[in-house]
Amino acid sequence: KQEVTQIPAALSVPEGENLVLNCSFTDSAIYNLQWFRQDPGKGLTSLLLIQSSQREQTSGRLNASLDKSSGRSTLYIAASQPGDSATYLCAVRRTSGTYKYIFGTGTRLKVLA
Amino acid sequence: GAGVSQTPSNKVTEKGKYVELRCDPISGHTALYWYRQSLGQGPEFLIYFQGTGAADDSGLPNDRFFAVRPEGSVSTLKIQRTERGDSAVYLCASSLKRSSYNEQFFGPGTRLTVL
């Protein structure tokens, strides 16, 4: 059974810091991995999607990497801003025959001005 | 363009009542998903539709939960004899099946409170 873990559960940093959020999964047979952002009381906003054949994806100040063999993904946020404060969730799709995502419990990020 | 929309945004009901939650996917998206998110947890998969049919309903917790998508667009999640443990945010997502990426786009959710 696929299990997804995110560490740390919560993180508070001063504005301007570069930071790394971690996601690990127990079954390396994944089709893709998607990072989401969730603001309080809101739905999920897609940030980056990495296919299993890819090593990383970048969008602006965000960079996500994937190491399938070790069951890990990291989300790197450069030059953090107060507006980055949110919960960050990673989700994996297990195989090409299954479309559902298995989510981690998220990392709650607070960037202090 | 319009994203995924869900109605109502909030629903308060009494234990034992029946509720319906609605999801309007992004136009042209053939795949639709329902997830449930409890406080402090990540979303948990409930059911996935491809077109009008439920391709995977393995996440439905019991037979009180049912979902339909009669015309392959709007979907309704139905919960009978609600229990306090059903209280959660119900999220809907859609994607283009023909896209090998299967990137899922989420709606704002319906917060269900069962008193």
Side-chain angles (χ1 to χ4, degrees), chain B residues 72-86:
Chain B
S73 179
V74 170
S75 176
T76 304
L77 178 65
K78 308 180 180 194
I79 310 174
Q80 299 177 319
R81 304 183 305 279
T82 51
E83 300 178 356
R84 293 195 179 89
D86 298 335

Side-chain angles (χ1 to χ4, degrees), chain A residues 6-23:
Chain A
Q6 291 187 247
I7 294 172
L11 183 62
S12 186
V13 300
E15 183 178 6
E17 274 205 7
N18 302 324
L19 52 99
V20 174
L21 308 181
N22 297 293
C23 172

Side-chain angles (χ1 to χ4, degrees), chain A residues 31-32 34 36 38 41-44 46 49 51 54 89 93 98-106, chain B residues 33 35 37 40-43 45 48 56 58 91 97 100-109 111:
Chain A
Y31 188 71
N32 62 30
Q34 194 167 352
F36 295 88
Q38 187 172 33
K42 306 288 185 185
L44 279 64
S46 177
L49 183 148
Q51 290 289 83
Q54 298 174 322
L89 293 154
R93 179 182 157 190
T98 301
Y99 288 85
K100 66 185 180 187
Y101 273 129
I102 306 297
F103 279 85
T105 52
Chain B
Y33 316 78
Y35 293 83
Q37 186 176 26
Q41 302 296 314
F45 170 80
Y48 153 62
D56 182 352
S58 61
L91 295 165
K97 180 181 185 289
S100 61
Y101 287 170
N102 184 46
E103 185 173 5
Q104 296 186 19
F105 297 88
F106 281 76
R111 182 176 299 278

Side-chain angles (χ1 to χ4, degrees), chain B residues 4-65:
Chain B
V4 178
S5 61
Q6 293 186 245
T7 55
S9 55
N10 281 284
K11 176 70 177 178
V12 180
T13 190
E14 293 179 344
K15 180 174 177 295
K17 299 289 189 183
Y18 168 83
V19 296
E20 289 189 352
L21 312 178
R22 176 188 167 109
C23 171
D24 278 271
I26 292 172
S27 178
H29 279 194
T30 55
L32 184 147
Y33 316 78
W34 284 99
Y35 293 83
R36 177 168 73 172
Q37 186 176 26
S38 300
L39 193 63
Q41 302 296 314
E44 292 181 302
F45 170 80
L46 295 177
I47 186 169
Y48 153 62
F49 286 91
Q50 181 51 48
T52 60
D56 182 352
D57 64 358
S58 61
L60 294 177
N62 51 59
D63 61 6
R64 295 187 298 105
F65 288 74

